[in-house]
Amino acid sequence: EAGVTQSPTHLIKTRGQQVTLRCSPISGHTSVYWYQQALGLGLQFLLWYDEGEERNRGNFPPRFSGRQFPNYSSELNVNALELEDSALYLCASSPQVSLGETQYFGPGTRLLVL
Amino acid sequence: AQTVTQSQPEMSVQEAETVTLSCTYDTSESDYYLFWYKQPPSRQMILVIRQEAYKQQNATENRFSVNFQKAAKSFSLKISDSQLGDAAMYFCAYSTSGSRLTFGEGTQLTVNP
């Protein structure tokens, strides 16, 4: 069974640009989560999508947005990039919307903003 | 707000020995789940073990076991017979309503040959 996949693996952008990160969940999983792992800030929850709807959002500005497609894959968009957006962006999926379902992570996308 | 604290930024253990990583959490919820994930240098987050708060029995997965003390809000991870491949950053995480994971700061584990 294929795991969670993310693309691209690495990305370099400049301040003010926009970026789109992509995630494909494990087959049969309907929930997709996005986390940011910035140096010195640990892992922070960004967004949660299930059945095409945004279910929960972390404490991030509106320039962080995303969506989930009918095939449950997801995109994370970041507009007006700032230097502090440099981080590893991790996507995770879980099989259903219920308390405590294990989240399985992809390999991440490393974003560097210059 | 829920918080997760890992008080040991770094730990080291000799190969084949046992090591315990500490984690405490703060919550007012009665129903929740706790996890340990490992993140090797590849940065891939890998599930190590999962514990349901309503279960009194401590979870075990091969060489990995937890000591879950609900009243003390403590959730430590014991790694027995440590192997070189166990070297990684270990994150304690908590999940409740909203299904988001709240992570601790992480403990960097070094395994010495």
Side-chain angles (χ1 to χ4, degrees), chain B residues 5-12 21-22 88-91 105-110:
Chain B
T5 302
Q6 294 178 247
S7 59
Q8 306 153 315
E10 298 177 346
M11 291 283 285
S12 64
L21 309 184
S22 301
M89 180 72 87
Y90 285 79
F91 290 96
E105 307 90 335
T107 297
Q108 182 66 53
L109 177 66
T110 301

Side-chain angles (χ1 to χ4, degrees), chain B residues 22-82:
Chain B
S22 301
C23 172
T24 58
Y25 58 94
D26 186 24
T27 183
S28 57
E29 303 283 343
S30 59
D31 195 13
Y32 52 88
Y33 288 74
L34 296 164
F35 304 84
W36 279 98
Y37 283 89
K38 65 181 282 189
Q39 188 178 41
S42 68
R43 307 297 294 275
Q44 174 91 47
M45 294 285 284
I46 301 165
L47 176 71
V48 175
I49 203 163
R50 173 176 180 263
Q51 173 79 44
E52 296 92 336
Y54 63 85
K55 288 188 177 179
Q56 293 187 346
Q57 186 173 6
N58 290 324
T60 300
E61 287 287 344
N62 300 314
R63 298 181 295 107
F64 298 88
S65 61
V66 298
N67 183 5
F68 174 48
Q69 301 290 328
K70 191 171 184 179
K73 297 180 181 174
S74 171
F75 182 61
S76 61
L77 175 69
K78 185 172 82 171
I79 306 174
S80 304
D81 186 25
S82 296

Side-chain angles (χ1 to χ4, degrees), chain A residues 35 37 48 100 102-103 105, chain B residues 37 39 44 50 98-99 101:
Chain A
Y35 294 88
Q37 187 176 24
W48 168 31
T102 298
Q103 296 182 21
F105 285 81
Chain B
Y37 283 89
Q39 188 178 41
Q44 174 91 47
R50 173 176 180 263
S99 289
L101 285 169

Side-chain angles (χ1 to χ4, degrees), chain A residues 18-35:
Chain A
Q18 179 265 343
V19 69
T20 298
L21 312 181
R22 294 177 176 83
C23 172
S24 291
I26 292 171
S27 178
H29 288 191
T30 63
S31 279
V32 171
Y33 310 81
W34 288 95
Y35 294 88

